[in-house]
Structure formats: structure tokens, C-alpha cells
């Protein structure tokens, strides 16, 4: 792997989420909104850093107050922002997020186009990408050019330098022109990843089958994969490696807000994998890494907002010991 280090580089979008001050209401009914930093790849970066890992973020922000605020949040949380570029002609993306009564979310986006969509391949910080031990990305950066070409080029650079590629598609259907386009573009880079994480609902979205039984999940498996993960919310996680598979239960915890739980899980798992890459071939080690990631995701649901609720390693280990 690249340089034998522990750097996790995340690529993609960072934006400002506006969340109603009260839960269980529509956007129109919300009396007021709180602003919160968001964007799945950025959340993963901060999750890694919060756990004591080395993290960097690659992306584009508007040269505006929100963009500068987000870059400062990365730095304040120990994430290398040297690969962040700013666009003077486009705004930082915004998303209004409703927290429904069941704790799930609905989104309305303002990005037409936002700065993150305008990142070009020429603007990539190649030195940072080449240092990655793991290069992590989602699918929102595949939606539009020029960011799509930048995304594909960044994957090539990372792969050529020896990084593991980690993919959490995290589709936001409202951003795509159709479900079919989303499915096609998300799967267009599927077989290039080493590690793929999907949620229960994403298995149905990608396969068209409402089931997470092994025969359905294996429709998403590729011979090039080292690890395929299906997160099951409060039920834990199913894992599929080349030579073994299984289920790791989650930790019982009182959920307040599921925002960022999947990103916390991914960040924690990638943190463990860069510390010991042999866990991808060793079932006992992998199960311990997933337990750690499950605990990290669970803790994140106990508070509102993604980044403020991301735990430290000590908090994760305490939950694991007390369970």
C-alpha cells in the first residue's frame, strides 16, 4: 500500500446542512434551522481524525463565508485541507435536512451548480492523493462534469500509487435526474473498488430486490473486492470477504439522530484497516474492526448532528467494554 502509512484520503462533497430546530416536522413547518457542516466524505475524514488517525480531504468549496467555515472545521478537527480548492464563481452547496419523527432524514439541496460540482482534474492535489493508504469516495461526485472526470482521475492516481479504494455510494436520489441514471452511474465504477459499504436500503436500490439475504447481496459482489459490507442500522452489519462472511451485531443504544452514523462506521473501519491491513484476510481481526466501527456508528446516533457527535477512540472502547 502507498508508503506503508495510515493516511485515509476522502474525496467529494462538503456542504452546509440546515436542520430544523425541532424534530418530526416538514421543512415548511420548521420554525427555524441550525446550520451544521455535512457531506459524507468530509464526515468520514473527520471521523478518522477524531479517532486519532491521519486524514485528508480532497474537494472544492465556494470562496464564500460558508466555504471558509467548512475548511476551518476540517483543520480544527485535525484533517489536512491542503487539497481543498476554492471557486470564486460558485457557492458552497447547501442542504435542508428534515429529521422525521422516526429519526430518518429527507433532503432538499441547493447546488445548481455548487462549487463541489466544478472541481476539475487539473485542480487535484496529486501529492496528497498519492500518499493515501486508503482513498475513499461516494457517488455524488459522479453526477456532473467536470467533477465526475476529476473523481475518475483521482481514483486512477490513488490506485496506481497502491492505495486501497473504498466506496460508499451513499446515493441521494433527489440529486439525480432519475433512479435509473443513479443506478447506472453508481455501478459504473463498482468493480474498481477494494472495499464497498452499502446500507440495507441501498441493496434494494441497486438490485431491485427488497432483501439482504446472502444470495441477493452477492449480486453486488465482484471478484476484485476485498470486502463488501451491508449495514443494517440497529441490527449491526453483514460482511463478505473473499474467504469468509458473517454478521456482527450492533450495540443497543437510544437513538436521537441517525445523521452521520454510516460515515462514522466507515471512518472507524478504515481507521482499523490502515492500522492493520491483514484484517481484510483474517476473520477474527475483521470482526473486531467491525465491532469497533459498529460502536462508533452507534455513539454517533446519540446526539444531534454528524460531526459534533463523532466519538473519540476512548469513547468507543468504553462502549465496547460496557456492552
Amino acid at each position: 500500500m502507498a508508503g506503508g502509512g495510515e493516511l485515509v484520503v476522502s474525496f467529494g462533497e462538503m456542504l452546509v446542512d440546515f436542520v430544523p430546530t425541532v424534530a418530526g416536522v416538514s421543512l415548511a413547518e420548521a420554525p427555524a434551522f441550525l446550520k451544521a457542516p455535512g457531506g459524507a466524505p468530509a464526515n468520514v475524514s473527520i471521523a478518522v481524525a477524531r479517532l486519532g488517525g491521519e486524514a485528508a480531504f480532497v474537494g472544492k468549496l465556494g470562496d464564500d463565508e460558508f466555504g471558509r467555515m467548512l475548511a476551518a472545521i476540517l483543520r480544527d478537527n485535525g484533517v489536512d485541507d491542503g487539497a481543498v480548492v476554492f471557486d470564486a464563481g460558485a457557492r458552497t452547496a447547501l442542504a435542508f435536512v428534515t429529521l422525521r419523527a422516526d429519526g430518518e432524514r429527507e433532503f432538499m439541496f441547493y447546488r445548481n451548480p455548487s462549487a463541489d460540482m466544478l472541481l476539475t482534474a487539473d485542480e487535484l492535489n496529486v501529492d496528497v492523493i498519492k500518499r493515501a493508504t486508503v482513498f475513499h469516495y461516494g457517488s455524488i461526485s459522479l453526477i456532473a462534469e467536470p467533477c465526475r472526470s476529476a473523481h475518475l482521475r483521482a481514483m486512477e492516481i490513488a490506485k496506481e500509487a497502491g492505495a486501497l479504494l473504498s466506496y460508499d455510494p451513499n446515493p441521494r436520489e433527489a440529486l439525480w435526474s432519475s433512479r435509473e441514471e443513479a443506478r447506472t452511474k453508481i455501478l459504473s465504477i463498482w468493480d474498481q473498488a477494494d472495499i464497498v459499504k452499502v446500507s440495507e436500503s441501498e441493496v434494494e436500490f441497486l438490485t431491485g430486490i427488497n432483501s439482504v439475504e446472502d444470495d441477493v447481496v452477492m449480486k453486488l459482489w465482484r471478484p476484485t473486492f476485498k470486502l463488501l459490507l451491508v449495514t443494517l442500522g440497529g441490527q449491526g452489519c453483514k460482511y463478505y470477504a473473499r474467504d469468509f462472511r458473517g454478521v456482527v451485531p450492533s450495540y443497543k443504544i437510544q437513538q436521537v439522530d441517525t445523521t452521520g452514523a454510516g460515515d462514522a462506521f466507515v471512518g472507524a473501519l478504515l481507521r482499523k484497516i490502515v492500522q492493520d491491513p491483514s484484517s481484510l484476510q483474517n476473520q477474527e481481526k475483521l470482526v473486531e474492526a467491525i465491532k469497533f466501527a459498529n460502536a462508533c456508528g452507534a455513539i454517533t446516533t446519540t446526539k444531534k448532528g454528524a460531526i459534533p457527535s463523532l466519538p473519540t477512540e476512548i469513547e468507543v472502547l468504553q462502549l465496547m467494554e460496557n456492552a
Side-chain angles (χ1 to χ4, degrees):
M1 278 189 266
E6 296 184 358
L7 175 63
V8 176
V9 176
S10 294
F11 175 95
E13 72 282 354
M14 190 176 193
L15 61 152
V16 182
D17 286 336
F18 286 88
V19 184
T21 51
V22 293
V25 298
S26 69
L27 291 175
E29 294 166 339
F33 295 89
L34 293 171
K35 72 177 191 298
N43 292 343
V44 169
S45 282
I46 293 173
V48 170
R50 189 74 55 87
L51 293 167
E54 187 183 1
F57 178 75
V58 181
K60 195 173 203 181
L61 299 169
D63 193 2
D64 51 38
E65 286 206 29
F66 284 145
R68 297 291 171 185
M69 175 193 83
L70 293 175
I73 287 167
L74 288 172
R75 291 193 300 275
D76 292 347
N77 282 280
V79 177
D80 181 348
D81 71 334
V84 173
V85 292
F86 293 89
D87 193 307
R91 295 294 193 198
T92 300
L94 309 178
F96 285 80
V97 187
T98 54
L99 289 173
R100 299 198 316 245
D102 61 2
E104 290 300 321
R105 298 155 295 152
E106 293 172 356
F107 296 86
M108 184 167 71
F109 293 92
Y110 286 75
R111 56 196 301 272
N112 53 342
S114 52
D116 60 289
M117 300 164 70
L118 301 176
L119 180 69
T120 68
D122 290 342
E123 292 173 314
L124 294 172
N125 187 322
V126 174
D127 291 340
V128 169
I129 296 169
K130 282 184 172 179
R131 286 199 296 115
T133 298
V134 170
F135 183 74
H136 175 75
Y137 47 88
S139 69
I140 288 175
S141 43
L142 296 172
I143 293 173
E145 292 292 357
C147 186
R148 177 179 167 81
S149 290
H151 180 143
L152 298 176
R153 179 64 188 132
M155 285 172 59
E156 284 178 11
I157 293 166
K159 194 76 168 175
E160 287 166 6
L164 288 170
L165 299 191
S166 164
Y167 188 16
D168 179 1
N170 222 337
R172 297 282 179 255
E173 282 188 53
L175 292 176
W176 298 87
S177 60
S178 69
R179 284 176 67 93
E180 193 49 49
E181 188 210 15
R183 196 178 291 112
T184 300
K185 281 193 174 172
I186 287 167
L187 292 173
S188 70
I189 59 168
W190 201 251
D191 58 356
Q192 296 178 53
D194 298 292
I195 300 164
V196 172
K197 173 255 169 193
V198 288
S199 68
E200 200 168 355
S201 62
E202 288 161 11
V203 172
E204 180 181 4
F205 176 71
L206 293 168
T207 66
I209 303 169
N210 181 14
S211 167
V212 289
E213 293 301 319
D214 288 353
D215 60 328
V216 176
V217 175
M218 287 304 288
K219 293 178 185 293
L220 297 174
W221 176 265
R222 299 293 182 271
T224 48
F225 285 2
K226 291 183 169 64
L227 181 63
L228 173 63
L229 299 147
V230 181
T231 53
L232 307 171
Q235 301 306 306
C237 173
K238 299 183 84 168
Y239 64 90
Y240 302 80
R242 287 181 181 170
D243 300 319
F244 48 83
R245 63 177 65 167
V247 184
V248 181
S250 191
Y251 294 85
K252 298 304 174 197
I253 208 153
Q254 186 62 47
Q255 290 191 358
V256 174
D257 175 10
T258 61
T259 306
D263 304 327
F265 172 91
V266 171
L269 187 74
L270 297 180
R271 171 73 187 129
K272 287 297 180 186
I273 287 170
V274 296
Q275 285 182 294
D276 186 359
S278 72
S279 57
L280 291 169
Q281 291 88 40
N282 181 305
Q283 188 166 12
E284 191 176 332
K285 288 181 179 180
L286 181 63
V287 167
E288 286 305 308
I290 294 172
K291 283 181 183 175
F292 182 86
N294 280 347
C296 192
I299 291 168
T300 306
T301 69
T302 62
K303 301 179 203 165
K304 279 196 172 184
I307 291 170
S309 58
L310 293 169
T312 63
E313 186 173 37
I314 291 170
E315 290 172 313
V316 176
L317 294 175
Q318 282 175 342
L319 174 62
M320 293 175 74
E321 285 169 14
N322 295 336

